[in-house]
Amino acid sequence: MGTVFVSQNNEKLRKMKRILVPVDFSGDSLKALKFALNLANHLGTDLRMIHVKKSKKFEIPFHFNEFEDQIVHTVQEYFEKLIELHSPAYQVENGVFDFKIRTGSVYREIVNQAKYGDSYLIVMGAFGASGFEEFFIGSNAFKVVSNASCPVITVREELSKSEVGTILMPFDASNETRKKIPYVAELAEACKAKVHVLGVHESSDAAIVGKIEHYMRQAEEYLNEKNIEVVKDIRKGDNNTTTALEYAREINADLIAIMTEQAETTFSMFFGSYAEQMVNKSEVPILSVPNWK
């Protein structure tokens, strides 16, 4: 059982949705925890960390930056220290900040915990580091993105801030691309963020460009109804991933929202899906919304 930290009135706990944070003690996963704390405060959700062990054997974690001059021998002790360290930053009234430790297949345990633990969102590191049970984040991040029943945000250790003030929402010509609009709107409302609606295309075909522009207008109308600030642009490039990432750097985006399944291009058939390219290449956190969301 995980140690539970209950914010404020223990007797007045209410059922809330939860953000789930897989932790393998790598720098990426600890940065993801800080990012998730900020989102939980804005969204008013519970917060749960999870670690999945391949066996019951435990080795001392590689990253000890948070606990200088302290020795931590077990995963449970490490989680207890993380809660002690970060609970002051968790400001959700009547919120629960806790953890689970599981043994088995890493991505399956994370996906199952999210499904049966009423998770609204998974926030996890995009990469891990060697030294602790082959730090599970790197090899399993995209498996979680591909199989989770809820959206997943992947975060890299290089992330310098946890606030979400600017969200980039790229649109291609796929029918699925619009399904992320309501979820992005919900995050933007909660975080008071500006949304950049970006059309990306590799073809000059007028029908394709017209379809993307139609999707962009629909997104703008939806966001305007919720009084969310919107900026629109459309870009042509050799690869939609590269085009979106270049634009994200231009606007200093805090989050890029995509679908986990997009229309395949010649490039993606050789180099992996659009979503996988984004998760692997982006220094900006990626929000991947499942196709069935």
Side-chain angles (χ1 to χ4, degrees), residues 260-286:
T260 54
E261 296 178 27
Q262 297 281 3
E264 283 200 342
T265 65
T266 302
F267 184 94
S268 71
M269 284 188 285
F270 286 102
F271 292 92
S273 71
Y274 176 55
E276 189 169 8
Q277 290 178 56
M278 293 292 283
V279 170
N280 287 338
K281 293 183 178 182
S282 177
E283 63 273 19
V284 179
I286 298 293

Side-chain angles (χ1 to χ4, degrees), residues 17 21 29 36 54 56 61 73 90 100 110 118-119 171 214 231 242 293:
K17 292 240 179 228
V21 187
S29 69
K54 296 176 183 176
K56 294 185 178 181
H73 296 284
Y90 181 61
K100 293 286 185 182
I110 294 169
D118 197 31
S119 293
F171 286 84
H214 176 63
V231 176
T242 303
K293 183 66 181 175

Side-chain angles (χ1 to χ4, degrees), residues 136-147:
F136 65 69
I137 294 298
S139 61
N140 287 279
F142 195 68
K143 289 181 182 178
V144 174
V145 168
S146 302
N147 290 280

Side-chain angles (χ1 to χ4, degrees), residues 121-268:
L121 179 67
I122 299 170
V123 180
M124 68 185 297
F127 300 103
S130 60
F132 178 66
E133 290 195 337
E134 299 176 356
F135 278 79
F136 65 69
I137 294 298
S139 61
N140 287 279
F142 195 68
K143 289 181 182 178
V144 174
V145 168
S146 302
N147 290 280
S149 58
C150 65
V152 180
I153 293 179
T154 46
V155 177
R156 294 173 71 159
E157 186 177 5
E158 296 86 354
L159 183 71
S160 59
K161 58 179 180 177
S162 296
E163 287 292 331
V164 177
T166 303
I167 301 174
L168 172 59
M169 184 164 52
F171 286 84
D172 61 13
S174 65
N175 293 327
E176 296 81 17
T177 194
R178 293 173 292 178
K179 293 182 180 180
K180 59 184 175 280
I181 297 173
Y183 205 88
V184 170
E186 191 170 351
L187 286 178
E189 271 192 299
C191 297
K192 296 180 172 56
K194 177 192 299 185
V195 177
H196 285 252
V197 174
L198 175 69
V200 291
H201 60 101
E202 300 166 11
S203 168
S204 298
D205 185 279
I208 291 175
V209 175
K211 187 176 183 180
I212 294 170
E213 289 177 336
H214 176 63
Y215 291 164
M216 293 169 64
R217 285 192 296 272
Q218 288 182 322
E220 182 181 31
E221 291 170 4
Y222 189 96
L223 295 168
N224 283 340
E225 287 178 2
K226 298 185 177 299
N227 297 314
I228 296 167
E229 185 178 355
V230 181
V231 176
K232 281 198 310 178
D233 201 352
I234 188 164
R235 300 279 178 93
K236 180 180 182 295
D238 294 330
N239 174 255
N240 286 341
T241 298
T242 303
T243 302
L245 291 178
E246 287 175 351
Y247 186 88
R249 295 183 192 107
E250 286 179 26
I251 65 171
N252 195 25
D254 302 309
L255 188 67
I256 304 174
I258 64 172
M259 299 299 299
T260 54
E261 296 178 27
Q262 297 281 3
E264 283 200 342
T265 65
T266 302
F267 184 94
S268 71

